[in-house]
Amino acid sequence: MRLIASFRCHHTHNLLLPNSFFSLPTAPTTTVTPNRKSPKCIPVSSSTIRLEVRAHSVSPKMVKAILVHELGGPQVLKWEDVELGDPKDGEIRVKNKAIGLNFIDIYFRKGVYKAAAFPFTPGMEAVGIVTAVGSGLTGRKVGDIVAYAGNPMGSYAEEQILPADKVVPVPPSIDPIVAASILLKGMTAQFLLRRCFKVERGHTVLVHAAAGGVGSLLCQWANTLGATVIGTVSTKEKAIQAKDDGCHHVIIYKEEDFVTRVNEITSGQGVEVVYDSVGKDTFQGSLDCLKTCGFMVSFGQSSGSPDPVPLSALAVKSLFLTRPTMMHYTITRDELLETAGEVFANAASGVLRVRVNHTYPLSQAAQAHADLESRKTSGSVVLIPDGAQ
């Protein structure tokens, strides 16, 4: 009875965000917090005292986060309170300073990609400061500035729990807002250009959405590698940016047919590789732009899923087609560190110039989604936790 009476002086409530869109939701962690009311003095045994001390070691706190309770438009992004506990073994708690906005967040919000559970917090990229470290963990300490991109989903929050092996250190030379704007997009550009298809001097590449977050980095990096870069954009303003980012030829696809123009630029030869994040609207045209044995890299679908492609369509020019995912190229810790390290090194040296053209308070994530989806943005978009600046 003493044990029961002792526990009646406490209450339990905990809401966890999904750990990963690749895994089943984890069982909720039970947290026990002290009641602010003074408990009655009840004699207890020494074993009960030891149990109470362990219970007090957990220190849940309330934080603000974006939650999605149902699929739909930007209006389903809700700014709510959630309770966050302490990190467990192998985990850290991070107070976010800047959060990257990416098209994959829209895919999850709309249901193109399936979240593990509802409600869920979107977001695949953030930079922050470590505020707590799980027991027995080495190599991470409170006060470290770290970043992550990819797994687990849930960065649209003031604070979050992360697996320690999924974060990377942010060099002091890189501003947190810059790091949050470039890590996921930069690592995407790295594996697309260096591993998925290895771009080399003398190659001609076609980059769709050349003024977008990933497109901008692809153009800069491919230019540095010695490739001839052709980019497609929607407006004259974006054409100016794409040119500044290293595009040798810029096509405003609303004014001219990009397939015809690519054919003219390459004297009918076509390009070695197409990087297509648009999907349905450009897919067939992208295949038409490839030279014999060319590579079609479809890594997004902002206009919708492409129509099915019969194998016979590839056989005409012995084409290669891939639909890669960054997470598969950064599975191991070494791969993650190497990829992120190359991105940060290129940003620090000036090879990659980051354009953070738009910042929004985290609480206004719905507006940021609406603007990104309607192509009102260019470069990178970053969400700043309210009150973080």
Side-chain angles (χ1 to χ4, degrees):
M1 290 301 296
R2 290 172 182 168
L3 179 60
I4 295 174
S6 176
F7 269 101
R8 284 176 180 169
C9 299
H10 301 79
H11 62 275
T12 302
H13 176 68
N14 191 30
L15 174 63
L16 295 182
L17 307 180
N19 280 341
S20 166
F21 62 86
F22 283 124
S23 62
L24 294 175
T26 58
T29 303
T30 302
T31 60
V32 184
T33 58
N35 194 314
R36 295 184 180 277
K37 296 180 179 180
S38 299
K40 295 180 179 180
C41 294
I42 302 174
V44 294
S45 66
S46 60
S47 61
T48 305
I49 293 174
R50 286 195 296 272
L51 182 58
E52 288 296 297
V53 170
R54 289 197 296 271
H56 287 173
S57 67
V58 180
S59 54
K61 62 183 296 185
M62 300 303 296
V63 300
K64 285 284 191 179
I66 296 291
L67 287 179
V68 175
H69 296 269
E70 59 181 341
L71 302 176
Q75 72 279 1
V76 304
L77 300 173
K78 303 299 183 182
W79 184 235
E80 299 181 10
D81 289 312
V82 298
E83 193 171 282
L84 195 67
D86 280 350
K88 294 177 284 193
D89 291 348
E91 295 180 335
I92 57 175
R93 188 168 68 198
V94 178
K95 183 176 183 179
N96 287 330
K97 299 170 71 68
I99 300 158
L101 172 59
N102 299 280
F103 239 99
I104 194 171
D105 306 341
I106 292 174
Y107 296 156
F108 275 104
R109 190 203 75 216
K110 296 170 69 173
V112 176
Y113 297 161
K114 305 301 181 183
F118 283 86
F120 69 88
T121 293
M124 312 292 291
E125 176 179 35
V127 175
I129 184 169
V130 177
T131 58
V133 176
S135 61
L137 186 65
T138 60
R140 306 287 182 277
K141 64 181 185 299
V142 172
D144 284 349
I145 302 297
V146 297
Y148 93 101
N151 273 346
M153 185 167 62
S155 66
Y156 284 22
E158 291 178 326
E159 294 192 42
Q160 62 183 136
I161 303 294
L162 290 170
D165 63 354
K166 295 297 183 182
V167 305
V168 297
V170 177
S173 59
I174 305 294
D175 182 90
I177 292 179
V178 171
S181 72
I182 197 177
L183 187 57
L184 182 59
K185 301 173 186 67
M187 290 202 299
T188 299
Q190 194 274 351
F191 90 82
L192 290 176
L193 291 167
R194 308 306 296 143
R195 299 176 65 192
C196 190
F197 176 86
K198 193 173 179 63
V199 172
E200 298 177 349
R201 183 171 299 279
H203 285 163
T204 301
V205 307
L206 174 61
V207 178
H208 287 299
V214 175
S216 171
L217 300 178
L218 283 172
C219 293
Q220 295 177 51
W221 207 328
N223 183 297
T224 300
L225 293 171
T228 297
V229 184
I230 305 171
T232 69
V233 296
S234 59
T235 67
K236 288 183 172 62
E237 292 74 19
K238 291 184 177 182
I240 294 172
Q241 177 185 309
K243 195 78 172 178
D244 191 47
D245 282 337
C247 278
H248 299 88
H249 307 275
V250 183
I251 302 168
I252 303 176
Y253 64 82
K254 291 184 177 181
E255 298 180 1
E256 54 186 340
D257 179 69
F258 75 85
V259 178
T260 301
R261 186 73 185 103
V262 168
N263 189 60
E264 294 171 352
I265 293 169
T266 63
S267 300
Q269 295 300 305
V271 301
E272 272 81 10
V273 60
V274 177
Y275 293 110
D276 190 334
S277 63
V278 177
K280 186 177 181 65
D281 291 350
T282 55
F283 193 88
Q284 185 56 53
S286 294
L287 290 177
D288 295 339
C289 288
L290 289 168
K291 64 169 46 177
T292 301
C293 299
F295 279 71
M296 171 64 176
V297 182
S298 175
F299 69 100
Q301 50 202 49
S302 60
S303 68
S305 298
D307 295 327
V309 179
L311 287 177
S312 57
L314 304 180
V316 174
K317 291 188 287 186
S318 294
L319 301 178
F320 294 86
L321 169 63
T322 183
R323 180 59 172 89
T325 299
M326 187 197 75
M327 289 70 169
H328 294 149
Y329 286 81
T330 55
I331 290 178
T332 69
R333 179 71 179 163
D334 287 344
E335 287 174 330
L336 175 63
L337 290 174
E338 181 180 354
T339 305
E342 189 171 355
V343 171
F344 285 144
N346 281 342
S349 67
V351 169
L352 298 179
R353 290 170 296 144
V354 184
R355 284 187 174 87
V356 185
N357 292 341
H358 312 272
T359 60
Y360 298 78
L362 178 56
S363 60
Q364 296 179 21
Q367 184 61 55
H369 271 229
D371 290 348
L372 178 61
E373 205 166 4
S374 61
R375 305 196 182 200
K376 292 181 180 178
T377 66
S378 63
S380 296
V381 181
V382 175
L383 305 174
I384 307 297
D386 299 53
Q389 289 185 322

